[in-house]
Amino acid sequence: MNKSNLVLKPGKKELDALSELYKALGDYTRIRILWLLMEREWCVSGLAKEIKMTESAISHHLRILRIARLVNGHKIGKNVFYNLSDEHVKGILENTYDHILER
């Protein structure tokens, strides 16, 4: 039986996790970062230049996205490069975008 056939009844733990996920997604800058990461991986300095923010501010947002398990980072030399943690994240973004386009 696949998940779409199940009646979902999340408990408190799962609802708390969903709430935290949506809090992480509920920021304009973090959404911009995630959309950029859908295309390719970025380093902090590249994101800062693209979004026109300080590296410190971008790092703060990336930390929140990492805690929410939406992005992963790996170090190459002195730079940390970020990408989406998995295809589910891309699906969440695409599905919610489709939802807001429906009228």
Side-chain angles (χ1 to χ4, degrees):
M1 183 180 247
N2 68 31
K3 288 182 183 180
S4 63
N5 294 335
L6 296 175
V7 176
L8 300 178
K9 294 186 181 187
K12 181 180 180 345
K13 180 180 175 183
E14 292 82 14
L15 290 173
D16 285 343
L18 282 169
S19 175
E20 290 303 314
L21 174 70
Y22 281 104
K23 284 178 191 176
L25 291 170
D27 179 87
Y28 179 82
T29 300
R30 290 193 288 273
I31 290 292
R32 284 186 68 198
I33 290 168
L34 291 170
W35 277 98
L36 288 168
L37 294 175
M38 282 177 58
E39 299 297 320
R40 65 179 177 91
E41 69 178 19
W42 287 78
C43 66
V44 174
S45 61
L47 286 168
K49 287 176 189 171
E50 183 71 20
I51 296 176
K52 296 177 178 49
M53 293 180 77
T54 66
E55 289 183 26
S56 175
I58 294 297
S59 292
H60 170 75
H61 286 292
L62 287 166
R63 180 178 177 273
I64 292 168
L65 293 171
R66 259 193 344 268
I67 290 168
R69 300 182 327 156
L70 295 168
V71 300
N72 292 319
H74 62 94
K75 199 167 188 173
I76 300 177
K78 293 182 180 183
N79 293 313
V80 179
F81 287 83
Y82 288 88
N83 52 32
L84 297 181
S85 61
D86 59 40
E87 286 296 311
H88 291 113
V89 177
K90 186 175 181 181
I92 290 167
L93 295 169
E94 290 172 340
N95 286 330
T96 53
Y97 185 67
D98 287 344
H99 177 72
I100 64 165
L101 293 179
E102 291 178 0
R103 303 228 178 233

